[in-house]
Amino acid sequence: MEKLILGIETSCDETAAAIYSTTRGILSNKLFSQITLHQQFGGVIPELASRSHLQKISTIIQEALDAAFIQPDQLDAIAVTNKPGLPGSLLVGVCFAKSLAYAWNKPLIGVNHLEGHVFSALIENQVPFPHVCLTASGGHTSMYRVNGLGDYQMISQTRDDAAGEAFDKIAKLIDLPYPGGPVIEQLASQVEFKDFFHYPRGSASLLDFSFSGLKTAVLYDLVKRNAYDMTTKRFLKPNDTLFKQQVASSLLVAIADIFVNKVSAALELHPDVQAVTFVGGVACNAYIRSLLEKFCKKKNRIFLYPRAQFCTDNGAMIAFVGGYKLQQHKIDTLELDILR
Ligand code: KG4
Ligand code: ZN
């Protein structure tokens, strides 16, 4: 029987809500992005993020219901991201979801944000189990072995920065706007994704990721090329477009190579997996996707990724997880909080 789930996501800088039908798929997916709010600071400011969620959440949820032509009484459950994320931002979504669950008398389901990403490739695709999921966003970079719906284990993670964070921090070093990932991809495409500066990739056989070394290597390389002043912390070639393209391209190629190496190491350890999924904001990157796709083809594995609106933070992935958790009777009480 069809179940209808409202999914709410406010863990970072997107206020998002979506309606998922267990038989018809995603019926609506609405979002307010706070990017312009945080852009002037070069990163997310937690206090501004939570205030903005408070201003937008009611409208976004109403828009999601309207776009799906669903009345609140038709809903079967309310799913909400309850961890991990910025505490103030998470609290807005969780408190709002609890109030709705209480007022509308609906089951409440807390969803781990990372579980949302891990299963986002399944929203519109049949992905065979077991598979490996590579999650790469601004806050997280990890790989999981996924055995079934809700059944997954982390097999590696980053020891320091996330991949998206590396894009964002290095973009900042060379005066590019936040978020860095999309701009870096655009600049790299203008020089045909060539590897100009050969930044280090780290150990290929290690399963864990590490991006802080790459950031330091890029920084020292910039200094060596007289492009960065360590004392004033200033980029010295702001008008040299070709140089920015070369840094961007070399960085993107290095990160793409690192991803291929890590997925390769994961397949060595888990030879029974049939597919690889690539999810999270960084999975919007068409160059990285093409390299992973080529690699998986060579290894006879299916390669799948969600469409862009399900890669970056969204309510659809939360509603989707809410859908199978409801069917698995994994319901929470109104005691749900952001710590447990
Ligand atoms: O999943 P997401 O929207 O938010 C988090 O949960 O962090 O991911 C945002 C991250 C940012 O670091 C951004 O630079 C990166 O995803 N990103 C990209 C691209 N689009 C977004 N990185 C590389 N290439 C892209 N095209
Ligand atoms: Zn995310």
Side-chain angles (χ1 to χ4, degrees):
M1 211 181 55
E2 182 186 39
K3 300 283 181 200
L4 291 168
I5 294 95
L6 164 65
I8 301 171
E9 155 64 42
T10 64
S11 68
C12 188
D13 60 346
E14 261 101 24
T15 314
I19 307 288
Y20 173 67
S21 150
T22 51
T23 53
R24 292 181 284 154
I26 296 297
L27 304 183
S28 66
N29 187 37
K30 294 287 170 182
L31 175 138
F32 173 77
S33 167
Q34 303 175 0
I35 279 187
T36 48
L37 180 68
H38 302 293
Q39 225 155 23
Q40 54 188 310
F41 305 104
V44 178
I45 306 294
E47 180 58 30
L48 293 181
S50 46
R51 282 193 222 177
S52 172
H53 285 307
L54 267 178
Q55 284 167 351
K56 292 289 175 192
I57 190 162
S58 179
T59 316
I60 291 294
I61 291 174
Q62 191 59 53
E63 281 179 9
L65 287 164
D66 291 348
F69 301 103
I70 296 291
Q71 298 295 326
D73 62 348
Q74 291 173 270
L75 291 173
D76 293 287
I78 295 169
V80 61
T81 304
N82 73 310
K83 63 181 177 202
L86 300 171
S89 295
L90 286 168
L91 275 173
V92 174
V94 169
C95 292
F96 210 90
K98 279 194 203 179
S99 314
L100 293 182
Y102 178 73
W104 295 342
N105 196 22
K106 303 290 176 189
L108 176 71
I109 301 173
V111 174
N112 182 305
H113 180 79
L114 295 168
E115 184 167 342
H117 278 303
V118 167
F119 291 91
S120 60
L122 282 74
I123 298 174
E124 295 182 310
N125 299 295
Q126 295 286 341
V127 187
F129 299 113
H131 61 258
V132 162
C133 172
L134 167 60
T135 304
S137 69
H140 307 274
T141 297
S142 9
M143 285 192 293
Y144 299 84
R145 177 191 167 93
V146 186
N147 297 313
L149 291 175
D151 179 4
Y152 62 107
Q153 301 140 4
M154 188 190 277
I155 54 176
S156 86
Q157 60 181 321
T158 178
R159 295 184 174 181
D160 36 65
D161 293 350
E165 202 176 350
F167 278 120
D168 297 341
K169 284 182 173 174
I170 294 166
K172 204 171 172 178
L173 284 181
I174 58 167
D175 283 357
L176 298 176
Y178 171 84
V183 200
I184 287 187
E185 180 175 17
Q186 199 193 3
L187 288 174
S189 75
Q190 292 159 0
V191 285
E192 285 146 14
F193 306 103
K194 287 202 192 95
D195 188 2
F196 296 91
F197 302 145
H198 309 289
Y199 298 137
R201 272 73 165 149
S203 161
S205 58
L206 246 172
L207 212 52
D208 273 351
F209 298 87
S210 168
F211 292 104
S212 71
L214 176 61
K215 196 199 93 179
T216 311
V218 173
L219 177 65
Y220 287 159
D221 193 68
L222 289 173
V223 172
K224 196 183 81 188
R225 292 174 200 279
N226 297 320
Y228 195 86
D229 183 346
M230 288 288 247
T231 35
T232 56
K233 293 193 167 34
R234 270 186 46 228
F235 180 57
L236 303 174
K237 298 190 176 189
N239 301 319
D240 190 340
T241 308
L242 176 63
F243 186 71
K244 288 186 190 178
Q245 289 166 330
Q246 290 174 328
V247 173
S249 189
S250 307
L251 174 68
L252 176 51
V253 173
I255 291 184
D257 273 357
I258 291 169
F259 281 165
V260 171
N261 290 341
K262 301 299 171 194
V263 169
S264 172
L267 293 184
E268 291 279 318
L269 271 178
H270 298 267
D272 58 329
V273 304
Q274 304 182 47
V276 174
T277 62
F278 181 33
V279 304
V282 180
C284 290
N285 192 293
Y287 176 77
I288 303 178
R289 287 197 312 237
S290 72
L291 236 63
L292 286 170
E293 188 150 33
K294 219 183 290 167
F295 173 78
C296 287
K297 206 167 171 187
K298 208 169 72 190
K299 297 282 174 189
N300 278 321
R301 298 314 203 287
I302 296 164
F303 176 68
L304 291 163
Y305 52 88
R307 65 168 128 146
Q309 58 176 293
F310 301 146
C311 282
T312 46
D313 288 350
N314 64 87
M317 66 185 191
I318 304 306
F320 179 79
V321 172
Y324 67 70
K325 283 188 114 180
L326 179 67
Q327 288 168 325
Q328 294 169 349
H329 309 290
K330 291 181 179 159
I331 311 293
D332 289 287
T333 66
L334 292 178
E335 305 284 299
L336 179 75
D337 71 24
I338 62 165
L339 300 173
R340 276 174 286 137

